[in-house]
Amino acid sequence: MAAPVMAADLRVFADPRALAAAAAREVAQLLTTAVREHGSASIALAGGRTPRDLYRCLAIDHHDVAWDRVLFYWGDERHVPHDDDRSNYRMAREALLDHVPVPPEHVHPMPTALGEPSEAAAQYERTLRSRFDTKWPRFDLVLLGIGDDGHTASLFAGSPALEEATRWVVAATAPVAPHGRLTLTLPALAHATMIFVVVAGDSKADALRSALGDRADPRCPASLIRTAPAPIVWWADARAAAHLTARISR
Ligand code: 6PG
């Protein structure tokens, strides 16, 4: 059942480099504000390729962030070893975490070394519940991407995970390899202080148009994010936003 959604805060940039630099500035500002206001900041990272440039910008241009007060989590993960080149943890470590002074105990990768994805998901939920004593985790920032097919995190169209209304983390199956995934559920993503969705490239134009349509539709899981109580900023390059009308930001 599609649900009506609010107008989107869409920011469009001429190219992926401008997009990454602008989004990194806002991420740095948001982390700094969270540390100032409550002594630490918690962020759930996105995986895939798109956020890599954003993470690199944070590492290179934002030494002013109190990185020793930032707690890192992941919104989803492929069920592969942490040294696998498909690992979202490995990508974030190489692009950001190896270059900023984050205490190791502040980095919480999903435990993919555990045998069964379902056990890894349960373990990660325990990790999150040890940090957040609220009904849903309250990250200061959740970063998300969108797949060409409209998935977000590892929430794919037709997946039972889209219906999950109690658990914070579940195992999921992706239609593309690696098929084994771990993902935060929609409600676990939706109660953050802020959600940034970062999208770039021609191949995302249809998915972004669907995600920003006037109704949330389970056939495009990214559109379901718009029913979240959290404010959302959609960061796109001109190619991904090709089917949308919005002024190009510098
Ligand atoms: C993953 C991601 C996933 C990603 C999209 C877009 O594990 O793959 O978390 O949700 O954000 O698939 O991926 P790209 O940025 O590589 O296009």
Side-chain angles (χ1 to χ4, degrees):
M1 171 63 184
V5 289
M6 295 192 309
D9 178 348
L10 171 67
R11 304 180 192 178
V12 182
F13 297 84
D15 56 60
R17 287 173 63 89
L19 166 62
R25 279 192 295 273
E26 288 277 315
V27 170
Q29 180 55 53
L30 194 147
L31 295 175
T32 297
T33 300
V35 169
R36 186 176 61 243
E37 289 179 353
H38 47 81
S40 67
S42 56
I43 181 172
L45 296 179
R49 292 178 305 275
T50 304
R52 192 195 315 259
D53 287 347
L54 191 165
Y55 299 160
R56 286 175 175 155
C57 285
L58 286 171
I60 295 166
D61 301 328
H62 295 285
H63 299 288
D64 51 322
V65 173
W67 292 110
D68 62 328
R69 312 293 288 276
V70 180
L71 302 167
F72 286 88
Y73 301 89
W74 274 258
D76 78 314
E77 184 58 277
R78 292 85 181 273
H79 198 253
V80 297
H82 285 162
D83 60 359
D84 188 299
D85 61 10
R86 300 167 297 176
S87 163
N88 291 335
Y89 163 73
R90 174 175 165 179
M91 183 274 280
R93 176 162 287 291
E94 291 176 345
L96 173 59
L97 299 174
D98 284 347
H99 309 285
V100 292
V102 180
E105 64 272 20
H106 284 191
V107 179
H108 303 278
M110 290 189 171
T112 56
L114 283 182
E116 284 304 309
S118 55
E119 176 45 37
Q123 174 65 39
Y124 204 63
E125 178 157 338
R126 288 192 289 271
T127 297
L128 292 178
R129 288 185 183 276
S130 70
R131 162 75 182 154
F132 301 104
D133 60 359
T134 43
K135 178 172 169 44
W136 298 106
R138 295 200 175 279
F139 298 101
D140 293 293
L141 176 61
V142 164
L143 294 177
L144 292 171
I146 302 180
D148 298 358
D149 61 356
H151 80 264
T152 191
S154 283
L155 297 165
F156 294 88
S159 167
L162 291 179
E163 307 296 325
E164 180 58 50
T166 307
R167 287 180 292 173
W168 292 11
V169 188
V170 293
T173 303
V176 293
H179 298 290
R181 303 290 181 100
L182 303 172
T183 188
L184 265 59
T185 56
L186 282 168
L189 294 166
H191 290 81
T193 302
M194 173 62 75
I195 297 173
F196 283 179
V197 184
V198 185
V199 200
D202 295 320
S203 70
K204 305 297 176 70
D206 289 342
L208 184 59
R209 177 174 52 188
S210 300
L212 296 183
D214 58 5
R215 304 188 76 77
D217 185 337
R219 291 168 297 180
C220 176
S223 71
L224 302 178
I225 289 291
R226 292 177 65 199
T227 60
I232 307 170
V233 179
W234 302 75
W235 301 82
D237 74 341
R239 290 173 180 271
H243 300 333
L244 303 166
T245 54
R247 71 181 158 72
I248 297 277
S249 308
R250 289 289 158 251

